[in-house]
Amino acid sequence: MNIGDQINVLRTEGERIAVAGGELALNALVPTCPGWIVKDLLTHIGTVHRWAAAIVGGALPYDPRKQDFQRIVGPTPHDDLLVDWVREGLLRLAAALEAAPDDLQCWQVFPAQSSRRFWVRRQAHETTIHRVDAEQARGDEISPVGPDFAADGIDELLLGFHGRPSSRVRALRPSVLHIHATDLPPGRGDWYVHPTDTGPLVTFSEVESPHCVIEGPVELLYLALWNRLPFDDLAVHGDPALLHLWRNYSAVRWVDPVDV
């Protein structure tokens, strides 16, 4: 997907969160984020959008969470103004990403071809995943995610987040988890995850007799790997320990240490 398409995804998904937030009670539970209520979800997405907009708009070479985070994000508004605050943060972020030069250099969570491309992609997926949270809180059917976008989100999760030293997907014994998207062409829908004692390695060449295979439509894989759907709707073959390893240790957390 190109940058313009991903910014459009960001805008659409952010507005869906705002709409859901306006229809839900702020104390309604968010089942995909244990311990969160809708107010927590809205506060998080409004905060993250402002954080990213500040990094991109100011070409910051550091993570402001370490220094002047409260000044950048500002105070959380009164409950009655929270949805408008979320929309304002979304507009601020989209404008910053649209205005950013292609050769932007700023701090980013993990390496990528360019800082602008990194932040457009990261915030499009961040917002899509939290839109799913909002729909789950409302009890809705989950709105579709396109196959190309879903595959890109799996790439980002496996190669980006779990390419960092902080990944907890680790194992002492050699093993291979094969993730197979049944609705993508050969060579595009296969990821081979090799947990090691320092984190997982991801390869794309066929591995004979992997220890565990998870397969199904790429959209369901995307949401399950991001811990937004159970693996029940996917076919799982082989050693269940690898599935348990992923389910128990793969979650990406806002409070994870900054290690890049």
Side-chain angles (χ1 to χ4, degrees):
M1 297 180 68
N2 63 42
I3 283 179
D5 289 339
Q6 289 187 319
I7 292 176
N8 287 338
V9 169
L10 168 67
R11 289 183 180 276
T12 298
E13 302 289 39
E15 177 59 23
R16 285 174 171 170
I17 293 173
V19 169
E23 295 175 352
L24 287 161
L26 291 181
N27 64 354
L29 296 178
V30 181
T32 43
C33 298
W36 273 19
I37 59 175
V38 169
K39 181 176 180 178
D40 298 320
L41 175 62
L42 295 176
T43 301
H44 173 74
I45 200 67
T47 296
V48 169
H49 284 171
R50 285 166 170 79
W51 169 71
I55 293 170
V56 172
L60 300 183
Y62 61 91
D63 180 2
R65 282 183 289 176
K66 292 183 174 181
Q67 299 181 25
D68 48 356
F69 188 55
Q70 290 305 317
R71 179 186 63 80
I72 284 174
V73 173
T76 303
H78 187 274
D79 288 357
D80 292 344
L81 302 175
L82 192 56
V83 171
D84 289 340
W85 181 78
V86 167
R87 284 194 169 103
E88 178 189 332
L90 173 66
L91 292 174
R92 187 184 302 181
L93 174 59
L97 293 170
E98 287 174 335
D102 289 336
D103 61 353
L104 173 71
Q105 294 185 13
C106 63
W107 183 85
Q108 54 200 59
V109 180
F110 47 79
Q113 286 183 328
S114 76
S115 291
R116 185 186 187 215
R117 187 168 293 278
F118 168 85
W119 282 109
V120 170
R121 179 198 207 191
R122 173 81 292 276
Q123 291 305 305
H125 287 294
E126 174 82 8
T127 307
T128 298
I129 290 299
H130 287 310
R131 179 268 292 170
V132 173
D133 294 331
E135 290 180 339
Q136 297 276 51
R138 199 166 53 181
D140 294 350
E141 293 289 329
I142 296 175
S143 299
V145 176
D148 289 340
F149 187 75
D152 181 70
I154 296 173
D155 279 342
E156 187 202 37
L157 177 62
L158 297 180
L159 299 171
F161 281 107
H162 289 288
R164 302 184 301 169
S166 60
S167 175
R168 299 180 299 149
V169 179
R170 302 180 180 209
L172 295 177
R173 294 187 301 169
S175 56
V176 180
L177 171 63
H178 178 195
I179 298 166
H180 173 59
T182 55
D183 54 346
L184 291 182
R188 181 64 190 95
D190 293 280
W191 297 262
Y192 297 88
V193 182
H194 308 251
T196 74
D197 60 354
T198 59
L201 300 174
V202 179
T203 61
F204 300 95
S205 298
E206 183 177 359
V207 174
E208 291 188 12
S209 303
H211 297 80
C212 183
V213 180
I214 303 173
E215 60 183 353
V218 68
E219 178 179 355
L220 296 185
L221 287 170
Y222 171 67
L223 294 175
L225 291 169
W226 275 100
N227 297 299
R228 263 52 190 192
L229 282 181
F231 286 84
D232 300 353
D233 294 333
L234 298 164
V236 180
H237 315 283
D239 186 355
L242 281 174
L243 176 59
H244 295 156
L245 174 68
W246 183 267
R247 292 169 70 176
N248 292 333
Y249 295 103
S250 67
V252 175
R253 302 168 301 175
W254 174 243
V255 296
D256 277 347
V258 176
D259 54 17
V260 294

